[in-house]
């Protein structure tokens, strides 16, 4: 793993800042900027589900065929590491980063991520990251399921109109309403607001504003000075 020295912290206690929220709420940009500012490693858990989805599509496995998909996953070599303090996933030695936002991946990722065994495999990888490093991890269930014990939980939201505008501005086609519905209504680890998460509505805030608010909370909680 290529990480800055500042991340090689106390091996006994690795802190996790959990950032959850719906699609296009701004959480990736916020989590990325926050991690940089506080010197933690950044983990994009959505990219892990996207990578598995892409891999299945490459192997002509229908995301609806959960048995075939699980078989594929259990026979694949999944390496999760860091590059420049950002999480990276390689499946059978291939880094699919440039394909993760293709339309076909957007369309199928919620189906793949609703399969409990897929979640089990990827959540184990997410937790393994925290064995070695302090993390800012973003996703849907980081505060509720992956690291429920962390005291540093945030839920970033934005109005549906703003979220749609953000995707369009990124030049991406993404059925965010359909994905949100699927992610919130699935049985396995749905997107929920953890009881103890601090909610930030980013509709009228810049990335810097949201990062600033999170840092203020982390200071109040004594995590950073
Ligand atoms: O965050 P992003 O929009 O890239 O996530 C893509 C998809 O991955 C989500 O729509 C969801 O289906 C799945 N996901 C998940 N749990 C997470 C992160 C992402 O189910 N922790």
């Amino acid at each position: 793993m290529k990480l800055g020295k500042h991340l090689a912290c106390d091996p006994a206690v690795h802190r996790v800042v959990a950032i959850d929220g719906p699609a296009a709420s701004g959480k990736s940009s916020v989590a990325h900027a926050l991690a940089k500012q506080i010197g933690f490693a950044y983990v994009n858990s959505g990219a892990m589900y996207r990578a598995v989805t892409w891999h299945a599509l490459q192997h002509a496995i229908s995301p609806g065929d959960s048995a075939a998909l699980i078989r594929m996953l259990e026979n694949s070599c999944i390496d999760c590491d860091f590059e420049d303090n950002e999480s990276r996933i390689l499946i059978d030695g291939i880094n699919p980063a440039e394909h993760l936002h293709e339309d076909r991946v957007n369309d199928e990722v919620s189906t793949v991520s609703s399969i409990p065994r897929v979640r089990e495999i990827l959540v184990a990888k997410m937790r393994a990251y925290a064995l070695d490093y302090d993390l800012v991890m973003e996703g849907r269930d980081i505060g509720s399921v992956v690291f429920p014990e962390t005291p540093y939980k945030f839920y970033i939201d934005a109005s549906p109109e703003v979220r749609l505008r953000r995707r369009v501005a990124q030049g991406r086609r993404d059925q965010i309403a359909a994905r949100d519905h699927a992610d919130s209504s699935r049985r396995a680890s749905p997107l929920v607001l953890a009881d103890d998460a601090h909610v930030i509505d980013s509709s009228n805030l810049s990335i810097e504003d949201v990062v600033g608010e999170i840092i203020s909370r982390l200071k109040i909680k004594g995590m950073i000075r």
Side-chain angles (χ1 to χ4, degrees):
M1 290 197 191
K2 278 194 265 166
L3 277 170
K5 274 203 201 93
H6 58 285
L7 289 169
C9 53
D10 180 354
V13 189
H14 292 289
R15 297 161 293 180
V16 177
V17 180
I19 300 187
D20 290 303
S25 57
K27 62 189 186 311
S28 296
S29 310
V30 166
H32 185 263
L34 174 71
K36 201 165 177 188
Q37 210 159 319
I38 64 177
F40 283 21
Y42 164 60
V43 180
N44 178 342
S45 67
M48 298 166 76
Y49 291 99
R50 286 175 179 276
V52 169
T53 304
W54 179 80
H55 194 66
L57 293 170
Q58 284 302 99
H59 286 77
I61 292 172
S62 160
D65 186 349
S66 55
L69 205 138
I70 291 166
R71 227 177 8 257
M72 174 209 81
L73 207 52
E74 289 178 339
N75 288 309
S76 302
C77 176
I78 304 175
D79 286 317
C80 293
D81 65 0
F82 290 102
E83 188 172 47
D84 299 329
N85 292 359
E86 285 185 31
S87 59
R88 181 179 73 150
I89 178 165
L90 295 134
I91 308 190
D92 290 338
I94 297 170
N95 178 356
E98 66 185 283
H99 303 289
L100 298 186
H101 291 276
E102 288 175 0
D103 291 350
R104 60 191 186 135
V105 175
N106 284 336
D107 291 345
E108 303 291 359
V109 64
S110 291
T111 303
V112 171
S113 68
S114 70
I115 302 170
R117 180 69 185 135
V118 170
R119 303 197 72 80
E120 209 173 271
I121 292 169
L122 293 184
V123 167
K125 302 277 180 194
M126 291 170 206
R127 291 186 179 141
Y129 271 128
L131 296 177
D132 295 322
Y133 301 103
D134 285 336
L135 306 174
V136 174
M137 187 177 292
E138 53 126 333
R140 301 294 187 290
D141 60 342
I142 309 306
S144 57
V145 173
V146 186
F147 293 105
E149 68 288 354
T150 182
Y152 316 118
K153 295 181 191 174
F154 297 88
Y155 185 96
I156 301 187
D157 210 345
S159 70
E161 299 73 35
V162 168
R163 294 193 287 119
L164 202 58
R165 264 208 308 277
R166 286 180 182 158
R167 272 297 183 264
V168 171
Q170 289 168 334
R172 290 182 182 160
R173 186 191 72 78
D174 190 356
Q175 306 292 342
I176 57 173
R179 264 199 309 129
D180 285 347
H181 177 70
D183 294 343
S184 306
S185 58
R186 69 184 175 216
R187 290 178 68 144
S189 308
L191 168 66
V192 288
L193 169 59
D195 288 343
D196 50 345
H198 177 74
V199 181
I200 302 175
D201 183 340
S202 73
S203 301
N204 299 307
L205 298 177
S206 66
I207 293 166
E208 294 72 31
D209 291 337
V210 180
V211 171
E213 188 170 335
I214 293 176
I215 287 182
S216 303
R217 295 285 303 181
L218 295 177
K219 284 182 181 163
I220 292 169
K221 285 181 170 280
M223 196 196 92
I224 50 176
R225 276 191 247 145

